[in-house]
Coordinates of all heavy atoms in Angstrom, one line a residue:
L323 N -99.7 -126.7 -226.2 CA -99.3 -125.8 -225.2 C -98.2 -124.8 -225.6 O -98.2 -123.6 -225.4 CB -98.8 -126.5 -223.9 CG -99.9 -127.3 -223.2 CD1 -99.3 -128.1 -222.0 CD2 -100.9 -126.3 -222.6
S324 N -97.2 -125.3 -226.4 CA -96.2 -124.5 -226.9 C -96.7 -123.5 -227.9 O -96.3 -122.3 -228.0 CB -95.0 -125.3 -227.5 OG -94.9 -125.1 -228.8
A325 N -97.7 -123.9 -228.8 CA -98.3 -123.0 -229.7 C -99.1 -122.0 -229.0 O -99.1 -120.8 -229.4 CB -99.2 -123.8 -230.7
A326 N -99.8 -122.4 -227.9 CA -100.6 -121.4 -227.1 C -99.6 -120.4 -226.5 O -99.9 -119.2 -226.5 CB -101.4 -122.1 -226.1
D327 N -98.5 -120.8 -226.0 CA -97.5 -119.9 -225.4 C -97.0 -119.0 -226.5 O -96.8 -117.7 -226.2 CB -96.4 -120.7 -224.7 CG -96.8 -121.3 -223.4 OD1 -97.8 -120.9 -222.8 OD2 -96.1 -122.2 -223.0
K328 N -96.7 -119.6 -227.6 CA -96.1 -118.7 -228.7 C -97.2 -117.7 -229.2 O -96.9 -116.5 -229.4 CB -95.7 -119.6 -229.9 CG -95.1 -118.9 -231.1 CD -94.7 -119.9 -232.2 CE -94.2 -119.1 -233.4 NZ -93.8 -120.0 -234.4
A329 N -98.5 -118.2 -229.3 CA -99.5 -117.3 -229.7 C -99.7 -116.2 -228.6 O -100.0 -115.0 -229.0 CB -100.8 -118.1 -229.9
R330 N -99.6 -116.6 -227.4 CA -99.8 -115.6 -226.3 C -98.7 -114.5 -226.4 O -98.9 -113.3 -226.2 CB -99.7 -116.3 -224.9 CG -100.3 -115.5 -223.8 CD -100.4 -116.4 -222.5 NE -101.4 -117.4 -222.7 CZ -101.1 -118.7 -222.4 NH1 -100.0 -119.1 -222.0 NH2 -102.1 -119.6 -222.5
S331 N -97.4 -115.0 -226.6 CA -96.3 -114.0 -226.7 C -96.5 -113.1 -228.0 O -96.2 -111.9 -228.0 CB -95.0 -114.7 -226.7 OG -94.8 -115.4 -227.9
E332 N -96.9 -113.8 -229.1 CA -97.2 -113.0 -230.3 C -98.3 -112.0 -230.1 O -98.2 -110.8 -230.6 CB -97.5 -113.9 -231.5 CG -96.3 -114.7 -232.0 CD -96.7 -115.6 -233.1 OE1 -97.9 -115.7 -233.5 OE2 -95.8 -116.4 -233.6
L333 N -99.3 -112.4 -229.4 CA -100.4 -111.5 -229.1 C -99.9 -110.3 -228.2 O -100.3 -109.2 -228.5 CB -101.6 -112.2 -228.3 CG -102.8 -111.4 -227.9 CD1 -103.5 -110.8 -229.2 CD2 -103.7 -112.2 -227.1
A334 N -99.1 -110.6 -227.3 CA -98.5 -109.5 -226.4 C -97.7 -108.6 -227.3 O -97.8 -107.4 -227.1 CB -97.7 -110.1 -225.3
N335 N -96.9 -109.2 -228.2 CA -96.1 -108.3 -229.1 C -97.0 -107.5 -230.0 O -96.7 -106.3 -230.2 CB -95.1 -109.2 -229.9 CG -94.0 -109.8 -229.1 OD1 -93.7 -109.3 -228.0 ND2 -93.4 -110.9 -229.6
A336 N -98.0 -108.1 -230.5 CA -98.9 -107.4 -231.4 C -99.6 -106.3 -230.6 O -99.8 -105.2 -231.1 CB -99.9 -108.4 -232.0
N337 N -100.0 -106.6 -229.4 CA -100.7 -105.5 -228.6 C -99.7 -104.4 -228.3 O -100.1 -103.2 -228.3 CB -101.2 -106.1 -227.3 CG -102.5 -106.9 -227.4 OD1 -103.2 -106.7 -228.4 ND2 -102.7 -107.8 -226.5
Q338 N -98.4 -104.7 -228.1 CA -97.4 -103.7 -227.8 C -97.2 -102.9 -229.1 O -97.1 -101.6 -229.0 CB -96.1 -104.4 -227.4 CG -95.0 -103.4 -227.0 CD -93.8 -104.2 -226.5 OE1 -93.6 -105.4 -226.7 NE2 -92.9 -103.4 -225.8
R339 N -97.1 -103.5 -230.3 CA -97.0 -102.8 -231.5 C -98.2 -101.9 -231.8 O -98.0 -100.7 -232.2 CB -96.7 -103.8 -232.7 CG -95.4 -104.4 -232.8 CD -95.1 -105.1 -234.1 NE -96.1 -106.0 -234.5 CZ -96.2 -107.3 -234.2 NH1 -95.2 -107.8 -233.5 NH2 -97.2 -108.1 -234.6
V340 N -99.4 -102.4 -231.5 CA -100.6 -101.6 -231.7 C -100.6 -100.4 -230.8 O -100.9 -99.3 -231.2 CB -101.8 -102.5 -231.5 CG1 -103.1 -101.6 -231.3 CG2 -102.0 -103.5 -232.6
E341 N -100.2 -100.6 -229.6 CA -100.1 -99.5 -228.6 C -99.1 -98.5 -229.0 O -99.3 -97.3 -228.9 CB -99.7 -100.1 -227.2 CG -100.1 -99.2 -226.1 CD -101.6 -98.8 -226.0 OE1 -102.4 -99.7 -226.2 OE2 -101.8 -97.6 -225.8
Q342 N -97.9 -99.0 -229.6 CA -96.9 -98.0 -230.1 C -97.5 -97.2 -231.3 O -97.3 -96.0 -231.4 CB -95.7 -98.8 -230.5 CG -94.9 -99.3 -229.3 CD -93.7 -100.2 -229.7 OE1 -93.6 -100.6 -230.9 NE2 -92.8 -100.5 -228.8
Q343 N -98.1 -97.9 -232.2 CA -98.7 -97.3 -233.3 C -99.8 -96.3 -232.9 O -99.9 -95.2 -233.5 CB -99.2 -98.3 -234.3 CG -98.2 -99.1 -235.0 CD -98.7 -100.2 -235.9 OE1 -99.9 -100.4 -235.9 NE2 -97.9 -100.8 -236.7
L344 N -100.6 -96.7 -232.0 CA -101.6 -95.7 -231.5 C -101.0 -94.5 -230.8 O -101.4 -93.4 -231.0 CB -102.6 -96.4 -230.5 CG -103.6 -97.4 -231.0 CD1 -104.4 -98.1 -229.9 CD2 -104.6 -96.6 -231.9
S345 N -100.0 -94.7 -230.1 CA -99.3 -93.6 -229.4 C -98.6 -92.7 -230.5 O -98.7 -91.5 -230.4 CB -98.2 -94.2 -228.5 OG -97.4 -93.1 -227.9
A346 N -98.0 -93.3 -231.5 CA -97.4 -92.5 -232.6 C -98.5 -91.8 -233.3 O -98.4 -90.6 -233.7 CB -96.7 -93.4 -233.5
A347 N -99.7 -92.4 -233.5 CA -100.8 -91.7 -234.2 C -101.3 -90.6 -233.4 O -101.6 -89.5 -233.9 CB -101.9 -92.7 -234.5
R348 N -101.4 -90.8 -232.1 CA -101.9 -89.7 -231.2 C -100.9 -88.5 -231.2 O -101.3 -87.4 -231.3 CB -102.0 -90.2 -229.8 CG -103.3 -91.1 -229.6 CD -103.4 -91.5 -228.1 NE -104.4 -92.6 -228.0 CZ -104.1 -93.8 -227.5 NH1 -102.8 -94.1 -227.1 NH2 -105.0 -94.7 -227.5
D349 N -99.6 -88.9 -231.1 CA -98.6 -87.8 -231.2 C -98.6 -87.1 -232.5 O -98.6 -85.8 -232.5 CB -97.2 -88.4 -231.0 CG -96.9 -89.0 -229.6 OD1 -97.7 -88.6 -228.7 OD2 -96.0 -89.7 -229.4
D350 N -98.8 -87.8 -233.6 CA -98.9 -87.2 -234.9 C -100.1 -86.3 -235.0 O -100.0 -85.1 -235.5 CB -98.9 -88.2 -236.0 CG -98.9 -87.7 -237.4 OD1 -98.0 -86.7 -237.6 OD2 -99.6 -88.1 -238.3
A351 N -101.2 -86.8 -234.5 CA -102.5 -86.0 -234.5 C -102.3 -84.7 -233.6 O -102.7 -83.6 -234.0 CB -103.6 -86.8 -234.0
A352 N -101.6 -84.8 -232.5 CA -101.4 -83.7 -231.6 C -100.5 -82.7 -232.3 O -100.7 -81.5 -232.2 CB -100.8 -84.1 -230.3
K353 N -99.5 -83.2 -233.0 CA -98.6 -82.3 -233.7 C -99.3 -81.6 -234.8 O -99.1 -80.4 -235.0 CB -97.4 -83.1 -234.3 CG -96.4 -83.5 -233.2 CD -95.2 -84.3 -233.9 CE -94.3 -84.8 -232.8 NZ -93.2 -85.7 -233.4
R354 N -100.1 -82.3 -235.6 CA -100.8 -81.7 -236.7 C -101.8 -80.6 -236.1 O -102.0 -79.6 -236.7 CB -101.6 -82.7 -237.5 CG -100.7 -83.6 -238.3 CD -101.4 -84.6 -239.2 NE -100.5 -85.4 -239.9 CZ -100.8 -86.1 -241.0 NH1 -102.0 -86.0 -241.4 NH2 -99.9 -86.8 -241.6
L355 N -102.5 -81.0 -235.0 CA -103.4 -80.0 -234.4 C -102.7 -78.8 -234.0 O -103.1 -77.6 -234.2 CB -104.1 -80.7 -233.3 CG -105.2 -79.8 -232.6 CD1 -106.3 -79.5 -233.6 CD2 -105.8 -80.6 -231.4
A356 N -101.5 -78.9 -233.3 CA -100.7 -77.8 -232.9 C -100.3 -77.0 -234.1 O -100.3 -75.7 -234.1 CB -99.5 -78.3 -232.1
N357 N -99.8 -77.6 -235.2 CA -99.4 -76.9 -236.4 C -100.6 -76.2 -237.0 O -100.4 -75.0 -237.5 CB -98.8 -77.9 -237.4 CG -97.5 -78.3 -237.1 OD1 -96.8 -77.7 -236.2 ND2 -97.0 -79.4 -237.6

Side-chain angles (χ1 to χ4, degrees):
L323 288 176
S324 116
D327 287 340
K328 183 179 178 182
R330 201 173 292 126
S331 69
E332 286 177 3
L333 179 63
N335 288 340
N337 283 338
Q338 187 178 14
R339 284 192 309 268
V340 165
E341 199 58 44
Q342 289 173 348
Q343 289 175 350
L344 283 174
S345 176
R348 285 185 197 117
D349 291 344
D350 187 43
K353 286 178 185 177
R354 287 183 184 200
L355 183 61
N357 285 342

